[in-house]
Amino acid sequence: MTERVNAAQLQAWNGDNGRAWVTLQPVLDQTLKPFEDLIVDSVAAAAEPCARILDLGCGTGATTLALAERVGGLCTGIDISEPMIELARTRARERQLSVDFIIGDAQAFSFPAQTFDVLVSRFGVMFFDDPIAAFGNLRRATRPGGRLTFVCWRHPKDNPFMTTAERASAHLLPDLKPVIAGSPGPVAFADPDRTRSVLSAGGWTGIDIRPVDVTCTMPEHDLLPYLTQMGSVGRALRTVDTQTRAEVIAALHEAYSEFVVDGEVRYPAACWMVEARG
Ligand SMILES: C[S@@+](CC[C@H](N)C(=O)[O-])C[C@H]1O[C@@H](n2cnc3c(N)ncnc32)[C@H](O)[C@@H]1O
């Protein structure tokens, strides 16, 4: 029997990761809003047709819904996570938006050929176990000359908000699995040379990769729920005893105080904005 592609990601995003993103949807959408705006502004500003838009790894749908509201056309979101797509569909119904949400693996899904004018993603294309196959599949789904626009994280060393939790709790959580640049996960495309060669091998042209630095925010009261449910520390906390959990929370509280000003968390986010042509 052949093994299913992206089996580990399928399990994670239909399990703990997906649950955390559903629970924290309002917090995550607020803190990642600058990236939604970057993508929507870039699509809205294009002087070319964008009648069919596909949002890759759309999650709970923020970017897809914003595109449907601001750009219009036929917007589709695809995601491997059933619980996240369920929430995306509920949000579309509540906002009375006609958007198509597909539960599927963007790497392997049989899209109709040469269909989409624009493909976008906010942090949803870094999890493929075979990114060349995935971007090849996505290019075949794009009309000739169509556009790909996505944001992804730069290196963890440029994103202290991302790494402080691991550093602060490493002595309490010795089995922590840190994120590794270049592996499927949030920093798979930290190295722009790798991204360029993956896209080019997938058949994309006109590849443009530029750094974007934005300040993200969240209310202070959302910080601990965020830190205790997200990333490798959030995962590790699901299985520790009460005493260790309390110690980790104290360490996180202390370590993240540098990001809190007047009841608000503010942190620099170092990302790449990647654009290409099909
Ligand atoms: C970091 S989250 C971003 C979600 C959403 N784009 C947002 O900004 O709120 C990554 C998303 O990629 C999805 N994902 C991971 N691997 C995928 C795959 N092979 N095909 C489709 N979606 C995938 C996950 O389920 C998750 O929703």
Side-chain angles (χ1 to χ4, degrees), residues 33-276:
K33 176 82 165 54
F35 298 103
E36 173 196 306
D37 292 342
L38 273 175
I39 290 169
V40 176
D41 289 349
S42 139
V43 175
E48 54 194 274
C50 42
R52 295 218 51 172
I53 302 174
L54 177 64
D55 183 8
L56 306 161
C58 64
T60 57
T63 309
T64 334
L65 298 175
L67 285 163
E69 273 171 347
R70 279 208 32 218
V71 181
L74 280 173
C75 295
T76 303
I78 182 167
D79 201 284
I80 206 170
S81 168
E82 213 171 312
M84 292 172 80
I85 287 286
E86 261 172 34
L87 179 52
R89 286 176 177 154
T90 303
R91 297 173 75 197
R93 270 195 304 277
E94 285 168 359
R95 284 155 74 169
Q96 301 188 321
L97 288 170
S98 170
V99 173
D100 189 19
F101 284 113
I102 303 169
I103 298 169
D105 186 326
Q107 178 175 319
F109 192 81
S110 291
F111 297 103
Q114 304 192 354
T115 298
F116 297 100
D117 300 300
V118 187
L119 269 57
V120 301
S121 186
R122 183 179 77 172
F123 304 120
V125 290
M126 301 93 83
F127 303 89
F128 304 126
D129 60 12
D130 186 342
I132 294 176
F135 280 101
N137 188 40
L138 295 169
R139 189 193 46 79
R140 285 187 292 280
T142 307
R143 71 154 168 81
R147 286 168 64 197
L148 169 69
T149 299
F150 68 84
V151 287
C152 59
W153 295 103
R154 299 217 298 276
H155 199 278
K157 71 174 162 42
D158 301 322
N159 283 293
F161 189 78
M162 187 190 273
T163 51
T164 297
E166 282 167 14
R167 242 193 344 272
S169 51
H171 62 295
L172 298 161
L173 302 170
D175 296 329
L176 270 189
K177 294 196 176 55
V179 290
I180 298 168
S183 302
V187 285
F189 291 137
D191 172 2
D193 292 338
R194 172 168 193 259
T195 312
R196 196 177 294 281
S197 84
V198 163
L199 290 179
S200 165
W204 294 88
T205 58
I207 301 162
D208 178 53
I209 304 179
R210 61 176 193 281
V212 285
D213 292 276
V214 306
T215 300
C216 294
T217 61
M218 70 174 76
E220 185 180 3
H221 61 76
D222 286 330
L223 181 61
L224 267 186
Y226 175 93
L227 294 174
T228 53
Q229 291 175 77
M230 297 296 288
S232 57
V233 172
R235 268 191 297 283
L237 282 179
R238 284 176 201 124
T239 53
V240 299
D241 58 73
T242 322
Q243 170 70 24
T244 308
R245 183 180 175 85
E247 285 170 14
V248 170
I249 288 176
L252 293 174
H253 194 69
E254 161 89 33
Y256 275 87
S257 59
E258 65 169 303
F259 296 103
V260 181
V261 181
D262 296 335
E264 187 179 60
V265 180
R266 295 176 73 80
Y267 62 94
C271 296
W272 298 114
M273 179 96 177
V274 181
E275 300 198 269

